[in-house]
Amino acid sequence: MKRLVILGGGTAGTMVAVKLRRKLKKEKWQITVVDQDLQHLYQPGLLLLPFGVYEPHELVKPRDKYLPRGVDLVMGEIDKVDPEAQRVDLADGRALDYDYLVIATGTTPRPDQTPGMEEGEWRKSIHEFFTLEGAIALREALADFTGGRLVVHITEMPIKCPVAPLEFTFLADAFFEEKGMRDKVEIVYATPLEGAFTKPVASAHLGMMFENRNIHMEPDFYIEHIDPETRTMVSMDEREIPFDLLVTIPLNMGADFVARSGLGDDLNYVPVDKGTLLSTKYQNIFAVGDASNIPASKAGSVAHFAVDGFTENFVDHVHGRPMTDLFDGHANCFIESGHGKGLLIDFNYDTEPLAGVYPYPKVGPLSLLKETRANHWGKLAFRHLYWNVLMRGLPMPVSTHMSMAGKETAGTNV
């Protein structure tokens, strides 16, 4: 009996468990998922919770509900992995032996890594929305905000869902406008990037949207510390940005056990081959979803597209065959822009987000790099698809690999 252990029962870990349980014979393979709680969180919904679109109970379901028969769920905190002994040690002293290991423990915000961020004003005038607790606290802060300077801030890239801070900024602009108090709120977007986004074409487009909405962008802002007493962010080059309400994206890091196990880089992400997701150091360890160091967005769509090919590669790998279904970094992201509209971008490792339609040429029905109501409803509809299609391992009606079909290149619709 071969033993496959999957660390993490979130988006990527669940999809891997569901898809590989169908592909690996039950009499030959034992599959175990390890996580420390039973709460499976629909993370894209956290952005919308502060604006009243969702209630907390709509974003949480039991983790074991989506794991199929023939997959064991072990509850426990991971202490470390011993790659040489092929063993996972849990904090309570239990140990799990494995033949193959999949690390899918994601990434989490670490406000403790920035001096002053957690001191005094945390969850008072300093907030985040990447955790359920944080999104709930931020909802209350927005409801009570009477005016002043709102700063939306990114500590450092990469972050989970890199368009989320952009979306929050646009939604906040619309939120205050609809409350009739936009003229009382100054909005500042502080980022370590040169522009609004990592990809130049999309960055220019989104930057123009900032200008049109009277949102000031502070680029190349690398935070050094926060002074909670004066409510001021200070950058490495000594620029200062005072705030009345700060919505920050803290430094994102992989799980601490990755560092203790000697498996990660300086941010605790596992170095892997970007096409196969196989560890660059061990031939029986993979990392999927946000846990890896691939140069792609840490987003749910990336996990979905990557896992589809990964499961085929895993079966080939364990049977001694070459892995040929190489992941191309495909990502597509809905960007809420406020007032019931949104954009959609579709890109990969090598191709910029382009204008056009998605997923089908000429008919779409979704528009790329264009604000439409259809894109907004597409974002809201994804919650249903997430629980009922993706988490059940059912196929989505879109290509796993990025397609140029429907995209405009040099003014021509391909």
Side-chain angles (χ1 to χ4, degrees):
M1 181 76 77
K2 292 286 187 181
R3 298 157 299 185
L4 167 62
V5 174
I6 302 168
L7 303 181
T11 301
T14 298
M15 287 192 291
V16 168
V18 171
K19 289 176 177 290
L20 284 181
R21 184 67 287 174
R22 294 172 183 165
K23 293 179 177 293
L24 301 174
K25 294 181 178 179
K26 292 184 179 180
E27 64 272 17
K28 292 186 178 181
W29 283 87
Q30 177 187 35
I31 301 178
T32 302
V33 173
V34 181
D35 212 304
Q36 57 187 351
D37 62 51
L38 279 171
Q39 187 181 71
H40 188 130
L41 179 65
Y42 177 62
Q43 297 182 59
L46 294 176
L47 165 75
L48 299 173
L49 191 154
F51 299 100
V53 177
Y54 295 126
E55 290 297 321
H57 71 271
E58 297 179 276
L59 306 181
V60 179
K61 292 185 183 292
R63 199 179 298 283
D64 54 354
K65 178 179 179 178
Y66 294 92
L67 296 176
R69 292 181 181 179
V71 173
D72 299 321
L73 177 60
V74 172
M75 304 304 299
E77 181 182 349
I78 303 162
D79 178 43
K80 67 179 187 302
V81 174
D82 186 336
E84 305 303 331
Q86 297 185 184
R87 186 183 69 242
V88 177
D89 294 327
L90 302 183
D92 61 9
R94 289 177 293 167
L96 300 171
D97 295 318
Y98 66 83
D99 295 291
Y100 290 90
L101 183 71
V102 176
I103 299 175
T105 41
T107 184
T108 55
R110 293 289 298 271
D112 60 298
Q113 298 295 304
T114 300
M117 188 173 283
E118 275 191 320
E119 299 169 16
E121 289 299 307
W122 185 245
R123 300 271 161 85
K124 295 177 182 177
S125 64
I126 303 176
H127 292 268
E128 53 83 25
F129 58 86
F130 276 27
T131 64
L132 185 59
E133 298 77 14
I136 292 171
L138 179 54
R139 178 175 62 178
E140 296 172 359
L142 286 175
D144 294 339
F145 193 59
T146 57
R149 175 179 282 182
L150 165 66
V151 177
V152 183
H153 163 251
I154 302 170
T155 298
E156 186 176 325
M157 301 298 282
I159 60 171
K160 186 184 301 186
C161 191
V163 300
L166 294 164
E167 293 181 277
F168 182 88
T169 306
F170 294 136
L171 288 170
D173 169 72
F175 175 80
F176 292 120
E177 185 175 314
E178 289 166 5
K179 288 184 71 174
M181 55 177 289
R182 180 62 179 89
D183 59 335
K184 297 180 181 179
V185 181
E186 177 188 5
I187 301 179
V188 177
Y189 188 83
T191 173
L193 300 175
E194 295 181 1
F197 193 57
T198 54
K199 301 285 187 178
V201 172
S203 181
H205 187 91
L206 294 162
M208 286 297 297
M209 291 175 63
F210 274 179
E211 290 185 22
N212 294 338
R213 288 162 169 78
N214 194 28
I215 296 167
H216 173 71
M217 183 166 61
E218 192 74 29
D220 300 311
F221 189 90
Y222 290 90
I223 191 167
E224 196 278 327
H225 74 277
I226 292 176
D227 185 335
E229 292 187 3
T230 62
R231 295 184 181 178
T232 303
M233 291 197 308
V234 182
S235 69
M236 297 288 186
D237 58 7
E238 300 183 344
R239 278 180 288 166
E240 296 185 355
I241 301 180
F243 60 85
D244 295 294
L245 179 62
L246 172 62
V247 179
T248 184
I249 314 300
L251 180 71
N252 278 212
M253 294 182 67
D256 286 341
F257 80 83
V258 173
R260 291 193 294 268
S261 308
L263 292 171
D265 59 17
D266 58 349
L267 291 176
N268 298 348
Y269 299 127
V270 182
V272 298
D273 179 275
K274 70 177 186 178
T276 64
L277 311 183
L278 178 65
S279 165
T280 56
K281 193 173 181 181
Y282 297 97
Q283 289 297 299
N284 63 343
I285 297 179
F286 292 83
V288 298
D290 296 347
S292 81
N293 75 333
I294 61 172
S297 295
K298 292 188 180 299
S301 65
V302 172
H304 159 222
F305 294 137
V307 165
D308 276 359
F310 161 78
T311 50
E312 300 293 338
N313 284 332
F314 183 88
V315 173
D316 285 337
H317 185 64
V318 300
H319 286 96
R321 300 188 294 264
M323 295 182 283
T324 58
D325 194 344
L326 303 183
F327 181 52
D328 65 352
H330 186 199
N332 57 31
C333 304
F334 287 103
I335 303 175
E336 284 288 287
S337 58
H339 301 298
K341 292 185 178 181
L343 297 90
L344 177 64
I345 55 176
D346 188 68
F347 57 101
N348 66 5
Y349 287 141
D350 303 313
T351 305
E352 292 273 334
L354 299 170
V357 294
Y358 181 88
Y360 306 112
K362 297 183 180 179
V363 297
L366 302 174
S367 300
L368 296 169
L369 274 179
K370 182 180 179 181
E371 287 185 84
T372 67
R373 295 196 179 279
N375 287 335
H376 165 70
W377 288 110
K379 173 128 183 163
L380 296 185
F382 187 73
R383 183 170 65 101
H384 175 81
L385 293 173
Y386 180 86
W387 293 123
N388 297 289
V389 178
L390 284 185
M391 290 302 97
R392 299 189 185 282
L394 301 176
M396 289 277 285
V398 295
S399 171
T400 296
H401 297 283
M402 180 180 160
S403 169
M404 291 299 293
K407 294 181 171 63
E408 296 176 6
T409 57
T412 302
N413 192 274
V414 179

